[in-house]
Amino acid sequence: MRDVILWGGTGQARVLREALPCADFRILAVFDNRPIPSPFPDVPIYLGEEGLRSWLAARTEAIEVRACVAIGGHRGSDRVLLQEWLQQQGMQPLTVIHPRAFVAADAEIGDGAQILAMSAICANVKLGRGVIVNTSASIDHDCVIGEGVHVGPGANLAGEVRVEDYAFIGVGAVVSPGLKIGRSAIVGAGAVVIRDVAADEVVAGNPARSLRR
Ligand SMILES: CC(=O)SCCNC(=O)CCNC(=O)[C@H](O)C(C)(C)COP(=O)(O)OP(=O)(O)OC[C@H]1O[C@@H](n2cnc3c(N)ncnc32)[C@H](O)[C@@H]1OP(=O)(O)O
C-alpha cells in the first residue's frame, strides 16, 4: 500500500483516484488553494500551503508519501511548479498509469505523468514530467512530448510529432505526422492540425487556423 496526497480537489482528483488501484494506493489527504469541499467523503481536504505545512507537521508516521498534482486544463506550468514545490516538501511525484492504458515497453515516462484510461503511448515515445495524457488519447511512435503538456481526451497525435513544454491539445484534436506544437501553444477542441503551431499560438478548426498569438 502506497500513501498519496493530491494537490487539487476537483475533477482531475476524481479521475486520478479512479486511475489508482485502491488495493495498492491510499489517498491520505487533498489540498486546494480554494476553500472547497473534499471530492471524496472519506478523505479530508486542507486549504493551501498553510494547510499542507500543518498537515505535515501533525504527521506521526514516517512512511513515504507521494504527491500527485490534480490540475488539468492548460495550466501545465502550474502543475510542474507545484510538483517541484511538493518535492521540496519531501514528497516525490507519483506517476499514474491507469491499468487500462497501453504504454509501449520502450516509452520513456517522466515523473508525475498521468496516463489515463484507454490512452495509448506507442513505441519510442518520450513524455516529460507532469504530462497528462487524458482518456482515450493516443500518442503514436517517436513523439516527443515536453514537460507539463496536456493531451486532451480523445486527441490523436500521429507519429514523430513534437509537443513543446506546457502546450495543451484540446479534446478530440488531431495532429498530422512530424509536426511541431510550440511551447504553451493551445490546439482547440476538434482541431485538425496540418502545419506547425508556433509558441503561444492558439489554433482551432479543420484545417486548424490561428485564433491568436
Ligand atoms: C476532461 C476534460 O475536460 S479536459 C479539458 C479539455 N478541454 C478542451 O478541449 C477545451 C479546448 N478549448 C477550446 O477549444 C477553446 O475554444 C479555444 C482555446 C480554442 C479558444 O477559446 P477562446 O480563446 O475562449 O475562444 P472563443 O470561445 O472566444 O472563440 C473565438 C473564436 O474561435 C472559434 N472557436 C473557438 N473554439 C473553437 C474550436 N475548438 N474549433 C473551431 N472554432 C473554435 C469561436 O467560434 C469564435 O469564432 P468567432 O470569432 O467567429 O465567433
Side-chain angles (χ1 to χ4, degrees):
M1 179 73 78
R2 298 168 85 179
D3 287 337
V4 184
I5 61 113
L6 301 183
W7 189 285
T10 54
Q12 191 68 6
R14 282 187 276 278
V15 168
L16 285 172
R17 182 181 220 189
E18 197 282 324
L20 294 170
C22 56
D24 301 337
F25 295 93
R26 178 172 60 167
I27 298 175
L28 297 180
V30 177
F31 300 86
D32 202 294
N33 282 330
R34 298 151 295 181
I36 55 173
S38 174
F40 316 117
D42 55 338
V43 180
I45 190 164
Y46 299 86
L47 187 60
E49 291 185 19
E50 198 45 51
L52 182 89
R53 289 187 209 285
S54 50
W55 180 80
L56 283 172
R59 266 179 68 75
T60 49
E61 287 178 281
I63 297 166
E64 185 192 25
V65 176
R66 296 288 189 121
C68 241
V69 182
I71 295 177
H74 55 83
R75 296 164 58 197
S77 54
D78 291 357
R79 191 164 55 253
V80 171
L81 282 173
L82 268 166
Q83 182 170 313
E84 277 175 6
W85 181 74
L86 289 165
Q87 255 176 304
Q88 288 159 11
Q89 310 310 309
M91 288 168 285
Q92 295 305 312
L94 180 72
T95 300
V96 177
I97 301 178
H98 193 284
R100 294 194 178 195
F102 166 74
V103 179
D106 62 354
E108 290 176 22
I109 310 295
D111 289 344
Q114 301 169 14
I115 300 173
L116 302 180
M118 313 310 285
S119 61
I121 312 295
C122 299
N124 195 36
V125 164
K126 294 180 177 51
L127 294 188
R129 57 187 184 145
V131 165
I132 297 176
V133 182
N134 222 312
T135 315
S136 290
S138 66
I139 301 186
D140 226 296
H141 64 90
D142 303 301
C143 285
V144 179
I145 312 295
E147 70 176 33
V149 167
H150 181 170
V151 181
N156 301 126
L157 308 190
E160 298 178 14
V161 168
R162 182 174 192 94
V163 184
E164 301 202 321
D165 296 350
Y166 317 127
F168 172 67
I169 315 287
V171 60
V174 171
V175 182
S176 290
L179 296 180
K180 184 174 108 174
I181 309 294
R183 183 183 171 96
S184 301
I186 296 179
V187 173
V192 177
V193 181
I194 57 169
R195 60 159 184 81
D196 289 351
V197 177
D200 297 313
E201 189 176 6
V202 181
V203 301
N206 178 5
R209 298 191 194 286
S210 198
L211 295 185
R212 59 177 180 271
R213 285 199 181 190

